[in-house]
C-alpha cells in the first residue's frame, strides 16, 4: 500500500533549537519524496524535493531507502519556520501526490 | 510565476443544491490538474486527477457522479459538487501541473453546506 506517515501532529521547540520532523513512507518501488509547507493563511508550497538535494531556508532532508524515511531537519529553528509541514510521495514518473497527515511546527521565542 | 487561482474562495449553499468550483493556472498551461479535500487539522486527500480533454481519474471511495470534474482547457478545471449535503462541507484545494513532478497549489475553497 502507498502510505506516508508523519507520527507527530505537533512539534514545539524554542528558537535556536534543532528541529527534526519525521516522515516514513510505504511504497513498492522508488517514489519521489517531497516536503511541502503551509504558512498561516497561505497556500501549500514546495519546500524540498529529494532528488534536488538542496537546502531551502536552512532545511535539509535525506532519503533513507533502508528505513523508508525522509525526515526534515534544521539545525537552528526560527520563529518564521512555524507552519504546517507535509511529507508527500509521488510515483517515479510523477503525477499524483500522497500526503502524510502533517506536522504543525511551533517555534517559540 | 506558476500561480493557480480558485474561485470562489468561500461558498455557502443549501443542502440539495450544486456548487461549482473553478481552478485556473494563470501563467502556465497545466496538462494535469488535481483536486484535493482537506479536513480540519488533517491531511490533504486526493480526490481525482484531471487531464485536459479526457475523463478524470477518481480515487477509491470518491463518487464520480457526486463530484463532477471537467478539464476543458489547459488552464481551467472545474469541480462541481452535486446535490450537496452537510457532510460535503470541507476545504477543497486544486493543484496544477505543467510537467511530471511539479504541482502548484491553489488557495483553496471553503464549502459550507447548510
Amino acid at each position: 500500500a502507498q502510505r506516508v506517515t508523519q507520527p507527530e501532529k505537533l512539534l514545539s521547540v524554542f528558537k535556536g533549537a534543532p528541529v527534526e520532523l519525521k516522515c516514513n513512507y510505504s511504497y513498492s518501488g522508488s517514489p519521489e519524496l517531497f516536503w511541502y509547507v503551509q504558512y498561516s493563511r497561505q497556500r501549500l508550497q514546495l519546500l524540498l524535493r529529494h532528488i534536488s538535494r538542496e537546502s531551502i531556508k536552512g532545511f535539509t532532508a535525506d532519503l533513507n531507502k533502508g528505513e523508508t524515511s525522509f525526515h526534515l531537519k534544521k539545525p537552528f529553528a526560527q520563529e518564521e519556520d512555524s507552519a504546517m509541514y507535509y511529507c508527500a510521495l509521488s510515483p517515479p514518473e510523477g503525477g499524483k501526490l500522497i500526503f502524510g497527515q502533517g506536522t504543525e511546527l511551533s517555534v517559540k521565542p | 510565476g506558476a500561480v493557480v487561482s480558485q474561485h470562489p474562495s468561500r461558498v455557502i449553499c443549501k443542502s440539495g443544491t450544486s456548487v461549482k468550483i473553478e481552478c485556473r493556472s494563470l501563467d502556465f498551461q497545466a496538462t494535469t490538474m488535481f483536486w484535493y479535500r482537506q479536513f480540519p487539522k488533517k491531511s490533504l486527500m486526493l480526490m481525482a486527477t484531471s487531464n485536459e480533454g479526457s475523463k478524470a481519474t477518481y480515487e477509491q471511495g470518491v463518487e464520480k457522479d457526486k463530484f463532477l470534474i471537467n478539464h476543458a482547457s489547459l488552464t481551467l478545471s472545474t469541480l462541481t459538487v452535486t446535490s450537496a449535503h452537510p457532510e460535503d462541507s470541507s476545504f477543497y484545494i486544486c493543484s496544477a501541473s505543467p510537467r511530471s513532478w511539479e504541482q502548484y497549489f491553489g488557495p483553496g475553497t471553503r464549502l459550507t453546506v447548510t
Side-chain angles (χ1 to χ4, degrees), chain A:
Chain A
Q2 303 171 2
R3 188 169 55 244
V4 178
T5 303
Q6 294 178 247
E8 303 133 332
K9 277 191 174 179
L10 172 65
L11 190 61
S12 185
V13 301
F14 286 102
K15 176 183 171 181
V19 166
E20 182 179 52
L21 288 79
K22 291 185 167 46
C23 171
N24 287 88
Y25 66 93
S26 172
Y27 187 87
S28 54
S30 297
E32 284 217 52
L33 273 297
F34 304 87
W35 276 98
Y36 282 83
V37 61
Q38 188 170 30
Y39 299 102
S40 180
R41 299 176 189 269
Q42 294 188 28
R43 67 188 69 196
L44 203 62
Q45 58 185 285
L46 178 67
L47 179 64
L48 281 179
R49 181 184 174 212
H50 90 270
I51 280 182
S52 61
R53 302 183 69 84
E54 291 175 305
S55 172
I56 306 292
K57 299 185 178 182
F59 285 97
T60 59
D62 290 320
L63 179 60
N64 186 321
K65 291 185 179 180
E67 295 183 358
T68 59
S69 68
F70 188 55
H71 303 327
L72 183 68
K73 299 178 184 179
K74 184 169 182 176
F76 308 104
Q78 302 300 313
E79 289 180 68
E80 55 265 30
D81 295 329
S82 296
M84 280 293 296
Y85 290 80
Y86 294 94
C87 183
L89 69 77
S90 76
E93 65 273 18
K96 67 180 184 182
L97 286 167
I98 296 169
F99 285 90
Q101 302 92 319
T103 297
E104 181 180 356
L105 174 64
S106 173
V107 182
K108 300 184 187 310

Side-chain angles (χ1 to χ4, degrees), chain B residues 13 30 37 96 100 102:
Chain B
C13 71
R37 185 171 175 176
S100 65
E102 286 183 84

